[in-house]
PDB file of all heavy atoms in Angstrom:
ATOM      1  N   LEU A 599       9.363  11.654   5.923  1.00  0.00           N
ATOM      2  CA  LEU A 599      10.622  11.485   6.601  1.00  0.00           C
ATOM      3  C   LEU A 599      11.050  10.095   6.650  1.00  0.00           C
ATOM      4  O   LEU A 599      10.206   9.183   6.854  1.00  0.00           O
ATOM      5  CB  LEU A 599      10.507  11.993   8.109  1.00  0.00           C
ATOM      6  CG  LEU A 599      11.718  12.032   8.983  1.00  0.00           C
ATOM      7  CD1 LEU A 599      12.674  12.930   8.517  1.00  0.00           C
ATOM      8  CD2 LEU A 599      11.222  12.340  10.427  1.00  0.00           C
ATOM      9  N   LYS A 600      12.336   9.797   6.193  1.00  0.00           N
ATOM     10  CA  LYS A 600      12.782   8.418   6.197  1.00  0.00           C
ATOM     11  C   LYS A 600      13.131   8.074   7.631  1.00  0.00           C
ATOM     12  O   LYS A 600      14.020   8.776   8.276  1.00  0.00           O
ATOM     13  CB  LYS A 600      14.109   8.350   5.343  1.00  0.00           C
ATOM     14  CG  LYS A 600      14.599   6.890   5.170  1.00  0.00           C
ATOM     15  CD  LYS A 600      15.789   6.783   4.344  1.00  0.00           C
ATOM     16  CE  LYS A 600      16.287   5.317   4.287  1.00  0.00           C
ATOM     17  NZ  LYS A 600      17.192   5.041   3.229  1.00  0.00           N
ATOM     18  N   ILE A 601      12.643   6.900   8.151  1.00  0.00           N
ATOM     19  CA  ILE A 601      12.793   6.464   9.405  1.00  0.00           C
ATOM     20  C   ILE A 601      13.757   5.273   9.484  1.00  0.00           C
ATOM     21  O   ILE A 601      13.607   4.396   8.651  1.00  0.00           O
ATOM     22  CB  ILE A 601      11.449   6.073  10.125  1.00  0.00           C
ATOM     23  CG1 ILE A 601      10.492   7.339  10.244  1.00  0.00           C
ATOM     24  CG2 ILE A 601      11.689   5.442  11.523  1.00  0.00           C
ATOM     25  CD1 ILE A 601      11.013   8.467  11.126  1.00  0.00           C
ATOM     26  N   THR A 602      14.752   5.372  10.292  1.00  0.00           N
ATOM     27  CA  THR A 602      15.657   4.233  10.526  1.00  0.00           C
ATOM     28  C   THR A 602      15.633   3.848  12.051  1.00  0.00           C
ATOM     29  O   THR A 602      15.011   4.566  12.856  1.00  0.00           O
ATOM     30  CB  THR A 602      17.140   4.659  10.268  1.00  0.00           C
ATOM     31  OG1 THR A 602      17.519   5.714  11.170  1.00  0.00           O
ATOM     32  CG2 THR A 602      17.214   5.140   8.773  1.00  0.00           C
ATOM     33  N   SER A 603      16.261   2.810  12.381  1.00  0.00           N
ATOM     34  CA  SER A 603      16.372   2.396  13.837  1.00  0.00           C
ATOM     35  C   SER A 603      16.996   3.513  14.652  1.00  0.00           C
ATOM     36  O   SER A 603      16.733   3.664  15.861  1.00  0.00           O
ATOM     37  CB  SER A 603      16.966   1.060  14.008  1.00  0.00           C
ATOM     38  OG  SER A 603      18.253   1.011  13.418  1.00  0.00           O
ATOM     39  N   GLN A 604      17.864   4.371  14.026  1.00  0.00           N
ATOM     40  CA  GLN A 604      18.567   5.340  14.704  1.00  0.00           C
ATOM     41  C   GLN A 604      17.673   6.563  15.115  1.00  0.00           C
ATOM     42  O   GLN A 604      17.813   7.163  16.166  1.00  0.00           O
ATOM     43  CB  GLN A 604      19.782   5.839  13.952  1.00  0.00           C
ATOM     44  CG  GLN A 604      20.942   4.934  13.907  1.00  0.00           C
ATOM     45  CD  GLN A 604      20.773   3.710  12.949  1.00  0.00           C
ATOM     46  OE1 GLN A 604      20.136   3.855  11.893  1.00  0.00           O
ATOM     47  NE2 GLN A 604      21.286   2.550  13.373  1.00  0.00           N
ATOM     48  N   ASN A 605      16.784   6.889  14.275  1.00  0.00           N
ATOM     49  CA  ASN A 605      15.903   8.100  14.449  1.00  0.00           C
ATOM     50  C   ASN A 605      14.497   7.717  14.893  1.00  0.00           C
ATOM     51  O   ASN A 605      13.668   8.579  15.118  1.00  0.00           O
ATOM     52  CB  ASN A 605      15.951   9.070  13.278  1.00  0.00           C
ATOM     53  CG  ASN A 605      15.227   8.549  12.097  1.00  0.00           C
ATOM     54  OD1 ASN A 605      14.707   7.386  12.018  1.00  0.00           O
ATOM     55  ND2 ASN A 605      15.178   9.388  10.987  1.00  0.00           N
ATOM     56  N   PHE A 606      14.130   6.489  14.963  1.00  0.00           N
ATOM     57  CA  PHE A 606      12.797   6.076  15.301  1.00  0.00           C
ATOM     58  C   PHE A 606      12.233   6.541  16.552  1.00  0.00           C
ATOM     59  O   PHE A 606      11.132   7.153  16.584  1.00  0.00           O
ATOM     60  CB  PHE A 606      12.681   4.522  15.276  1.00  0.00           C
ATOM     61  CG  PHE A 606      11.317   3.973  15.628  1.00  0.00           C
ATOM     62  CD1 PHE A 606      10.286   4.003  14.752  1.00  0.00           C
ATOM     63  CD2 PHE A 606      11.067   3.476  16.947  1.00  0.00           C
ATOM     64  CE1 PHE A 606       9.046   3.492  15.050  1.00  0.00           C
ATOM     65  CE2 PHE A 606       9.824   3.024  17.257  1.00  0.00           C
ATOM     66  CZ  PHE A 606       8.811   2.986  16.405  1.00  0.00           C
ATOM     67  N   GLU A 607      12.961   6.454  17.634  1.00  0.00           N
ATOM     68  CA  GLU A 607      12.467   6.868  18.916  1.00  0.00           C
ATOM     69  C   GLU A 607      12.254   8.389  18.925  1.00  0.00           C
ATOM     70  O   GLU A 607      11.064   8.803  19.346  1.00  0.00           O
ATOM     71  CB  GLU A 607      13.509   6.498  20.053  1.00  0.00           C
ATOM     72  CG  GLU A 607      12.942   6.898  21.344  1.00  0.00           C
ATOM     73  CD  GLU A 607      13.936   6.495  22.579  1.00  0.00           C
ATOM     74  OE1 GLU A 607      14.867   5.770  22.330  1.00  0.00           O
ATOM     75  OE2 GLU A 607      13.631   6.938  23.672  1.00  0.00           O
ATOM     76  N   GLN A 608      13.225   9.159  18.453  1.00  0.00           N
ATOM     77  CA  GLN A 608      13.055  10.635  18.447  1.00  0.00           C
ATOM     78  C   GLN A 608      11.910  11.082  17.550  1.00  0.00           C
ATOM     79  O   GLN A 608      11.110  11.922  17.936  1.00  0.00           O
ATOM     80  CB  GLN A 608      14.362  11.299  18.053  1.00  0.00           C
ATOM     81  CG  GLN A 608      14.351  12.759  18.201  1.00  0.00           C
ATOM     82  CD  GLN A 608      14.085  13.261  19.639  1.00  0.00           C
ATOM     83  OE1 GLN A 608      14.721  12.761  20.618  1.00  0.00           O
ATOM     84  NE2 GLN A 608      13.276  14.256  19.800  1.00  0.00           N
ATOM     85  N   GLU A 609      11.897  10.606  16.305  1.00  0.00           N
ATOM     86  CA  GLU A 609      10.921  11.076  15.300  1.00  0.00           C
ATOM     87  C   GLU A 609       9.549  10.504  15.402  1.00  0.00           C
ATOM     88  O   GLU A 609       8.628  11.155  15.033  1.00  0.00           O
ATOM     89  CB  GLU A 609      11.475  10.847  13.891  1.00  0.00           C
ATOM     90  CG  GLU A 609      12.757  11.559  13.585  1.00  0.00           C
ATOM     91  CD  GLU A 609      12.649  13.034  13.557  1.00  0.00           C
ATOM     92  OE1 GLU A 609      11.503  13.598  13.520  1.00  0.00           O
ATOM     93  OE2 GLU A 609      13.591  13.701  13.525  1.00  0.00           O
ATOM     94  N   VAL A 610       9.418   9.248  15.938  1.00  0.00           N
ATOM     95  CA  VAL A 610       8.078   8.674  15.950  1.00  0.00           C
ATOM     96  C   VAL A 610       7.544   8.505  17.427  1.00  0.00           C
ATOM     97  O   VAL A 610       6.518   9.079  17.697  1.00  0.00           O
ATOM     98  CB  VAL A 610       8.144   7.155  15.345  1.00  0.00           C
ATOM     99  CG1 VAL A 610       6.875   6.475  15.479  1.00  0.00           C
ATOM    100  CG2 VAL A 610       8.525   7.296  13.881  1.00  0.00           C
ATOM    101  N   LEU A 611       8.266   7.909  18.328  1.00  0.00           N
ATOM    102  CA  LEU A 611       7.806   7.721  19.610  1.00  0.00           C
ATOM    103  C   LEU A 611       7.645   8.943  20.456  1.00  0.00           C
ATOM    104  O   LEU A 611       6.741   9.128  21.238  1.00  0.00           O
ATOM    105  CB  LEU A 611       8.688   6.657  20.444  1.00  0.00           C
ATOM    106  CG  LEU A 611       8.725   5.198  19.811  1.00  0.00           C
ATOM    107  CD1 LEU A 611       9.634   4.398  20.672  1.00  0.00           C
ATOM    108  CD2 LEU A 611       7.331   4.702  19.813  1.00  0.00           C
ATOM    109  N   LYS A 612       8.543   9.841  20.278  1.00  0.00           N
ATOM    110  CA  LYS A 612       8.560  11.183  20.913  1.00  0.00           C
ATOM    111  C   LYS A 612       7.891  12.317  20.190  1.00  0.00           C
ATOM    112  O   LYS A 612       7.999  13.420  20.623  1.00  0.00           O
ATOM    113  CB  LYS A 612      10.028  11.526  21.390  1.00  0.00           C
ATOM    114  CG  LYS A 612      10.608  10.574  22.414  1.00  0.00           C
ATOM    115  CD  LYS A 612      11.931  11.075  22.730  1.00  0.00           C
ATOM    116  CE  LYS A 612      12.491   9.996  23.854  1.00  0.00           C
ATOM    117  NZ  LYS A 612      13.805  10.396  24.307  1.00  0.00           N
ATOM    118  N   SER A 613       7.237  12.025  19.113  1.00  0.00           N
ATOM    119  CA  SER A 613       6.608  13.057  18.290  1.00  0.00           C
ATOM    120  C   SER A 613       5.471  13.697  19.023  1.00  0.00           C
ATOM    121  O   SER A 613       4.686  13.007  19.685  1.00  0.00           O
ATOM    122  CB  SER A 613       6.107  12.531  16.948  1.00  0.00           C
ATOM    123  OG  SER A 613       5.473  13.460  16.195  1.00  0.00           O
ATOM    124  N   ASP A 614       5.352  15.047  18.853  1.00  0.00           N
ATOM    125  CA  ASP A 614       4.253  15.725  19.476  1.00  0.00           C
ATOM    126  C   ASP A 614       3.006  15.770  18.470  1.00  0.00           C
ATOM    127  O   ASP A 614       2.007  16.458  18.803  1.00  0.00           O
ATOM    128  CB  ASP A 614       4.615  17.112  19.947  1.00  0.00           C
ATOM    129  CG  ASP A 614       5.279  17.967  18.848  1.00  0.00           C
ATOM    130  OD1 ASP A 614       5.484  17.468  17.740  1.00  0.00           O
ATOM    131  OD2 ASP A 614       5.527  19.149  19.113  1.00  0.00           O
ATOM    132  N   LYS A 615       3.237  15.243  17.275  1.00  0.00           N
ATOM    133  CA  LYS A 615       2.122  15.209  16.296  1.00  0.00           C
ATOM    134  C   LYS A 615       1.773  13.674  16.060  1.00  0.00           C
ATOM    135  O   LYS A 615       2.505  12.821  16.452  1.00  0.00           O
ATOM    136  CB  LYS A 615       2.724  15.655  14.843  1.00  0.00           C
ATOM    137  CG  LYS A 615       3.198  17.159  14.839  1.00  0.00           C
ATOM    138  CD  LYS A 615       3.686  17.396  13.419  1.00  0.00           C
ATOM    139  CE  LYS A 615       4.075  18.790  13.238  1.00  0.00           C
ATOM    140  NZ  LYS A 615       4.467  19.038  11.779  1.00  0.00           N
ATOM    141  N   LYS A 616       0.595  13.582  15.489  1.00  0.00           N
ATOM    142  CA  LYS A 616       0.196  12.281  15.022  1.00  0.00           C
ATOM    143  C   LYS A 616       1.165  11.876  13.818  1.00  0.00           C
ATOM    144  O   LYS A 616       1.592  12.657  13.077  1.00  0.00           O
ATOM    145  CB  LYS A 616      -1.289  12.276  14.450  1.00  0.00           C
ATOM    146  CG  LYS A 616      -1.899  10.920  14.386  1.00  0.00           C
ATOM    147  CD  LYS A 616      -3.370  11.097  13.835  1.00  0.00           C
ATOM    148  CE  LYS A 616      -4.336  11.226  15.082  1.00  0.00           C
ATOM    149  NZ  LYS A 616      -5.654  11.191  14.591  1.00  0.00           N
ATOM    150  N   VAL A 617       1.478  10.578  13.855  1.00  0.00           N
ATOM    151  CA  VAL A 617       2.487  10.003  12.900  1.00  0.00           C
ATOM    152  C   VAL A 617       1.832   8.990  11.944  1.00  0.00           C
ATOM    153  O   VAL A 617       1.113   8.073  12.490  1.00  0.00           O
ATOM    154  CB  VAL A 617       3.681   9.371  13.638  1.00  0.00           C
ATOM    155  CG1 VAL A 617       4.709   8.874  12.666  1.00  0.00           C
ATOM    156  CG2 VAL A 617       4.307  10.389  14.597  1.00  0.00           C
ATOM    157  N   LEU A 618       2.039   9.123  10.675  1.00  0.00           N
ATOM    158  CA  LEU A 618       1.624   8.142   9.713  1.00  0.00           C
ATOM    159  C   LEU A 618       2.928   7.455   9.201  1.00  0.00           C
ATOM    160  O   LEU A 618       3.809   8.167   8.718  1.00  0.00           O
ATOM    161  CB  LEU A 618       0.912   8.742   8.534  1.00  0.00           C
ATOM    162  CG  LEU A 618       0.642   7.847   7.349  1.00  0.00           C
ATOM    163  CD1 LEU A 618      -0.388   6.757   7.711  1.00  0.00           C
ATOM    164  CD2 LEU A 618       0.065   8.719   6.134  1.00  0.00           C
ATOM    165  N   ILE A 619       3.016   6.147   9.322  1.00  0.00           N
ATOM    166  CA  ILE A 619       4.187   5.396   8.879  1.00  0.00           C
ATOM    167  C   ILE A 619       3.836   4.560   7.702  1.00  0.00           C
ATOM    168  O   ILE A 619       2.785   3.771   7.784  1.00  0.00           O
ATOM    169  CB  ILE A 619       4.785   4.607   9.978  1.00  0.00           C
ATOM    170  CG1 ILE A 619       5.049   5.403  11.232  1.00  0.00           C
ATOM    171  CG2 ILE A 619       6.101   3.879   9.471  1.00  0.00           C
ATOM    172  CD1 ILE A 619       5.478   4.526  12.466  1.00  0.00           C
ATOM    173  N   ASP A 620       4.482   4.620   6.657  1.00  0.00           N
ATOM    174  CA  ASP A 620       4.323   3.769   5.497  1.00  0.00           C
ATOM    175  C   ASP A 620       5.485   2.782   5.416  1.00  0.00           C
ATOM    176  O   ASP A 620       6.609   3.108   5.234  1.00  0.00           O
ATOM    177  CB  ASP A 620       4.363   4.668   4.233  1.00  0.00           C
ATOM    178  CG  ASP A 620       4.309   3.876   2.914  1.00  0.00           C
ATOM    179  OD1 ASP A 620       3.845   2.679   2.919  1.00  0.00           O
ATOM    180  OD2 ASP A 620       4.727   4.420   1.836  1.00  0.00           O
ATOM    181  N   PHE A 621       5.087   1.489   5.756  1.00  0.00           N
ATOM    182  CA  PHE A 621       6.097   0.398   5.625  1.00  0.00           C
ATOM    183  C   PHE A 621       6.131  -0.028   4.191  1.00  0.00           C
ATOM    184  O   PHE A 621       5.015  -0.368   3.705  1.00  0.00           O
ATOM    185  CB  PHE A 621       5.785  -0.795   6.565  1.00  0.00           C
ATOM    186  CG  PHE A 621       6.063  -0.543   7.938  1.00  0.00           C
ATOM    187  CD1 PHE A 621       5.092   0.069   8.786  1.00  0.00           C
ATOM    188  CD2 PHE A 621       7.245  -0.970   8.542  1.00  0.00           C
ATOM    189  CE1 PHE A 621       5.384   0.329  10.076  1.00  0.00           C
ATOM    190  CE2 PHE A 621       7.532  -0.615   9.882  1.00  0.00           C
ATOM    191  CZ  PHE A 621       6.611  -0.043  10.643  1.00  0.00           C
ATOM    192  N   TYR A 622       7.220  -0.026   3.413  1.00  0.00           N
ATOM    193  CA  TYR A 622       7.326  -0.278   2.037  1.00  0.00           C
ATOM    194  C   TYR A 622       8.551  -0.949   1.606  1.00  0.00           C
ATOM    195  O   TYR A 622       9.543  -1.070   2.472  1.00  0.00           O
ATOM    196  CB  TYR A 622       7.158   1.029   1.263  1.00  0.00           C
ATOM    197  CG  TYR A 622       8.467   1.837   1.302  1.00  0.00           C
ATOM    198  CD1 TYR A 622       9.314   1.777   0.175  1.00  0.00           C
ATOM    199  CD2 TYR A 622       8.851   2.560   2.366  1.00  0.00           C
ATOM    200  CE1 TYR A 622      10.512   2.520   0.133  1.00  0.00           C
ATOM    201  CE2 TYR A 622      10.023   3.251   2.423  1.00  0.00           C
ATOM    202  CZ  TYR A 622      10.926   3.263   1.290  1.00  0.00           C
ATOM    203  OH  TYR A 622      12.113   3.865   1.322  1.00  0.00           O
ATOM    204  N   ALA A 623       8.645  -1.415   0.352  1.00  0.00           N
ATOM    205  CA  ALA A 623       9.865  -1.880  -0.205  1.00  0.00           C
ATOM    206  C   ALA A 623       9.992  -1.321  -1.673  1.00  0.00           C
ATOM    207  O   ALA A 623       8.905  -1.144  -2.299  1.00  0.00           O
ATOM    208  CB  ALA A 623       9.999  -3.387  -0.241  1.00  0.00           C
TER     209      ALA A 623
END
């Protein structure tokens, strides 16, 4: 899932699952 500042809180902080985030360029 592509994370932006707009969906970060809902998709990451409020996730009921463990979250793996890949910071990349």
Side-chain angles (χ1 to χ4, degrees):
L599 183 64
K600 182 176 179 169
I601 297 297
T602 65
S603 53
Q604 285 75 37
N605 69 358
F606 175 76
E607 183 176 351
Q608 186 62 42
E609 295 294 346
V610 177
L611 295 181
K612 294 183 177 176
S613 177
D614 55 353
K615 296 180 177 182
K616 194 177 273 189
V617 180
L618 172 65
I619 307 170
D620 174 21
F621 286 88
Y622 77 100

